[in-house]
């Protein structure tokens, strides 16, 4: 049987779904509140021709835009239309139920956030602007920013110049799912149906969920694509998660150095076990003894054959939890297990902020040891927030009973203290009182519409 090929309407998909704009090293994410819908719609109308699509391969600049549920309402979508979007999106990231799922409590509780929390101004839209250089970014911001009122800038999140590293000092941005019909091909076990990331296409269940379909009268101008006689506001759109995660880099390295008590090389070994890859990126299952620069981007590996018990890569390591690669019960390594894993993938599109202080990173920008906050503007894309982003965060990262562990949560990104277990022959190593190294300081759920859908939103009255 010939494999079904999906034809993705690339020119209607915002580019961030297809690529992380790795050539555009500078970025800024600007969060807006809509005060006057008419002014906001004028702005959107000027913005639409500037939007970067998945058909483009930008070398100089890129611009994308996404909206929260409140933003969609303020632009003029009626109650019924907003109600056709996913509940998680309508609820927002900070409803008590979602905070419980996400583990946003204590210092990471939304009431303490700098933006997006209940005490902060409402966020209606995020403008994502990228540039090849600082000049390109400034110039693009100047063009894309609203000029005529109607929207107020709430926060402008300036990213650090893109490098291959995250702040603890590890190679990041290695593993992504390949998206069928959209991104370059890769091994079948890592290739996921486009409907997992874009609305309006078949997903890993073979279904096209009925989300965000409007009665055709809602679109008299015929701006939106049609599906079964209805106007498809969701088609070519994706849900976007944005979270500001502050990383305590001195705290992390201070802790691993004390816990490993064997100097820098033992500390690096322990930190790598917590990540599941060495600082250079080599996965522990493939390079158990030491870092291996030739495996820095290696991503074609599994856990169930090489390392069923977590002797090489601990079961609690961040990358093993966030993508268990078919190693979970009841049938580790089976086709079924791989297939189930494909229902819980995300496209990661985050960028770092702040200056570097990791002992693994030579500092080029600023003196070390300053008090400035640093971390990750975590961004991910998915078609189903509950089944993808929230599931990974709740059932895999924050779950103390993960894959035979009973008291450990993710040692790298948990927002509460935890235990970390690394099996080794002949003893297992169990480190208790691992503090939290990451604090959430803001966040929101957005919808990144197809470009025709942005034009539709700009045309509402
Ligand atoms: C500040 C917080 C975080 C840091 C420092 C961090 C760091 C890393 C590093 C170093 C890698 C390995 C590089 C790679 O495979 O691309 C990685 C992979 C990954 N992370 Fe995180 N991460 C953070 C937060 C999160 C969160 C909140 C999630 C999801 C809810 C997440 C999901 C993933 C996934 C899915 C992978 C790829 C795993 C794989 O496919 O093997 N990360 N992260």
């Amino acid at each position: 049987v010939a494999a079904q090929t999906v034809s993705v309407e690339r020119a209607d998909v915002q580019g961030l779904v297809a690529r992380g704009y790795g050539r555009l090293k500078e970025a800024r994410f600007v969060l807006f509140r809509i005060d006057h819908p008419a002014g906001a719609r004028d702005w959107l109308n000027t913005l639409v021709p500037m939007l970067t699509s998945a058909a483009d391969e930008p070398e100089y600049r890129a611009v994308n835009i996404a909206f929260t549920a409140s933003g969609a309402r303020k632009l003029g979508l009626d109650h019924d239309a907003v109600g056709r979007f996913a509940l998680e999106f309508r609820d927002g990231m900070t409803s008590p139920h979602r905070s419980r799922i996400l583990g946003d409590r204590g210092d990471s509780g939304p009431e303490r956030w700098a933006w997006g929390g209940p005490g902060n101004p409402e966020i209606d839209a995020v403008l994502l602007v990228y540039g090849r250089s600082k000049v390109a970014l400034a110039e693009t911001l100047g063009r894309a920013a609203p000029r005529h009122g109607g929207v107020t800038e709430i926060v402008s999140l300036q990213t650090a110049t893109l490098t291959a590293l995250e702040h603890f000092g590890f190679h990041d941005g290695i593993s992504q799912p390949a998206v069928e019909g959209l991104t370059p091909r890769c091994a079948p076990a890592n290739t996921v149906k486009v409907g997992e990331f874009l609305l309006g296409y078949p997903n890993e269940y073979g279904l096209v969920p009925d989300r965000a379909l409007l009665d055709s009268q809602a679109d008299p101008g015929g701006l939106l694509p049609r599906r079964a006689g209805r106007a498809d506001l969701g088609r070519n759109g994706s849900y976007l998660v944005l979270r500001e995660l502050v990383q305590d880099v001195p705290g992390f390295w201070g802790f691993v150095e004390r816990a490993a008590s064997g100097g820098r090389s033992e500390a690096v070994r322990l930190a790598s076990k917590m990540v599941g890859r060495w600082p250079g990126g080599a996965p522990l299952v493939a390079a158990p003894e030491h870092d291996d620069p030739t495996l820095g981007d290696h991503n074609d590996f599994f856990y169930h054959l090489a390392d069923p018990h977590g002797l090489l890569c601990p079961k609690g390591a961040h990358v093993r939890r966030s993508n268990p690669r078919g190693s979970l019960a009841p049938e580790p390594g089976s086709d079924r297990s791989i297939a189930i894993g494909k229902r819980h993938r995300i496209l990661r599109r985050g960028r770092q902020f702040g200056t570097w202080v990791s002992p693994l990173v030579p500092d080029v920008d600023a003196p070390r040891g300053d008090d400035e906050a640093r971390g990750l503007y975590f961004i991910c894309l998915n078609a189903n927030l509950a089944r993808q982003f929230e599931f990974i965060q709740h059932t895999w990262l924050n779950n103390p009973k993960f894959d035979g562990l009973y008291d450990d949560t993710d040692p790298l990104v948990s927002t509460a203290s935890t235990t970390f277990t690394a099996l080794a022959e002949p003893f297992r190593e169990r480190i208790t009182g691992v503090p939290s190294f990451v604090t959430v300081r803001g966040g929101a759920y957005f919808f990144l519409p197809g470009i025709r859908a942005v034009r539709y939103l700009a045309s509402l009255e």
Side-chain angles (χ1 to χ4, degrees):
V1 185
Q4 269 188 322
T5 46
V6 186
S7 162
V8 178
E9 294 164 325
R10 284 170 176 270
D12 194 44
V13 175
Q14 295 201 57
L16 194 62
V17 186
R19 51 183 63 81
Y21 302 130
R23 286 182 213 155
L24 309 178
K25 305 285 182 210
E26 308 292 336
R28 197 181 264 262
F29 310 132
V30 194
L31 305 172
F32 290 102
R33 183 183 64 212
I34 294 175
D35 300 316
H36 303 293
R41 290 191 294 250
D42 284 349
W43 173 47
L44 285 186
N45 274 314
T46 60
L47 203 60
V48 168
M50 266 183 256
L51 292 178
T52 308
S53 84
D56 303 324
E57 289 186 21
E59 300 274 349
Y60 186 76
R61 75 164 69 90
V63 179
N64 287 142
I65 188 154
F67 304 93
T68 60
S70 63
R73 268 184 219 108
K74 288 184 192 172
L75 285 169
L77 267 196
D78 64 23
H79 182 74
D80 181 53
V82 175
R84 304 200 186 184
F85 283 89
L87 175 68
E88 311 84 74
F89 169 71
R90 286 181 279 134
D91 255 11
M93 192 182 278
T94 59
S95 73
H97 174 58
R98 309 236 89 80
S99 291
R100 264 196 306 280
I101 290 179
L102 298 172
D104 294 343
R105 55 179 183 270
D107 286 347
S108 291
E111 62 290 345
R112 301 202 175 183
W113 288 3
W115 59 270
N120 308 121
E122 193 157 56
I123 304 289
D124 295 320
V126 58
L127 180 70
L128 305 126
V129 181
Y130 300 81
R132 188 177 65 187
S133 61
K134 290 197 166 73
V135 172
L137 178 68
E139 196 230 318
T140 310
L141 267 168
R143 283 191 188 202
R147 241 163 273 160
H148 306 297
V151 289
T152 302
E153 181 179 309
I154 302 298
V155 193
S156 185
L157 305 175
Q158 176 62 53
T159 68
T161 303
L162 183 65
T163 70
L165 300 176
E166 57 71 43
H167 274 289
F168 294 134
F170 286 77
H171 185 9
D172 200 2
I174 306 164
S175 176
Q176 300 279 9
V179 185
E180 206 176 272
L182 194 65
T183 63
R185 283 168 187 272
C186 106
N190 192 39
T191 304
V192 179
K193 296 266 186 260
V194 66
E196 291 293 308
F197 304 104
L198 284 180
L199 273 57
Y201 297 87
N203 62 20
E204 283 292 335
Y205 293 85
L207 301 172
V208 183
D210 253 1
R211 292 264 195 233
L213 288 179
L214 309 184
D215 298 333
S216 57
Q217 310 90 282
D219 176 30
L223 291 172
L224 294 173
R226 289 291 188 267
R227 179 148 73 94
R230 309 182 69 191
D232 197 345
L233 180 59
R235 187 170 174 90
N236 296 321
S238 188
Y239 289 104
L240 182 151
V241 178
L242 171 59
R243 282 161 77 77
E244 179 171 334
L245 305 180
V246 173
Q247 290 172 251
D248 177 6
V249 178
F252 176 80
W253 282 104
F255 178 80
V256 289
E257 275 168 20
R258 281 192 305 279
S261 63
R264 173 58 49 79
S265 69
E266 284 310 303
V268 169
R269 181 178 298 275
L270 173 59
S272 305
K273 286 191 175 178
M274 291 159 82
V275 174
R277 289 184 183 261
W278 293 96
L284 291 191
V285 279
E289 295 305 327
H290 44 76
D291 205 345
D292 180 347
T294 63
L295 296 175
D297 290 308
H298 183 44
N299 201 32
D300 191 11
F301 63 89
F302 297 92
Y303 301 107
H304 59 274
L305 285 181
D307 188 26
H309 307 296
L311 284 164
L312 308 178
C313 176
K315 289 188 165 186
H318 176 64
V319 300
R320 190 163 176 159
R321 281 178 173 268
S322 55
N323 180 9
R325 300 178 185 238
S327 65
L328 297 185
E331 298 169 60
S334 64
D335 289 350
R336 187 163 158 250
S337 189
I338 304 265
I340 290 173
K342 290 187 183 188
R343 298 169 185 169
H344 308 294
R345 301 297 304 275
I346 49 176
L347 289 169
R348 290 179 300 139
R349 297 289 188 246
R351 295 256 172 152
Q352 309 292 318
F353 63 90
T355 53
W356 304 92
V357 291
S358 168
L360 303 184
V361 181
D363 192 5
V364 286
D365 288 347
R368 282 158 193 261
D370 56 349
D371 297 332
E372 185 205 344
R374 58 184 54 78
L376 172 66
Y377 293 131
F378 174 86
I379 292 183
C380 77
L381 297 168
N382 48 197
N384 188 318
L385 289 162
R387 179 162 63 70
Q388 294 170 272
F389 166 67
E390 289 186 348
F391 182 95
I392 296 174
Q393 174 99 6
H394 174 257
T395 312
W396 288 348
L397 302 185
N398 288 345
N399 183 359
K401 297 191 174 53
F402 174 81
D403 197 11
L405 300 168
Y406 57 91
D407 196 21
D408 301 19
T409 58
D410 190 295
L412 201 64
V413 307
S414 286
T415 52
S417 69
T418 187
T419 299
F420 178 63
T421 309
L423 292 181
E425 302 286 9
F427 304 115
R428 80 176 176 174
E429 192 180 0
R430 198 145 184 271
I431 300 169
T432 54
V434 181
S436 152
F437 307 115
V438 167
T439 311
V440 188
R441 216 170 52 171
Y445 287 153
F446 297 86
F447 186 65
L448 180 85
I451 293 175
R452 280 175 292 184
V454 179
R455 194 173 287 127
Y456 172 78
L457 291 171
S459 77
L460 289 170
E461 298 204 345

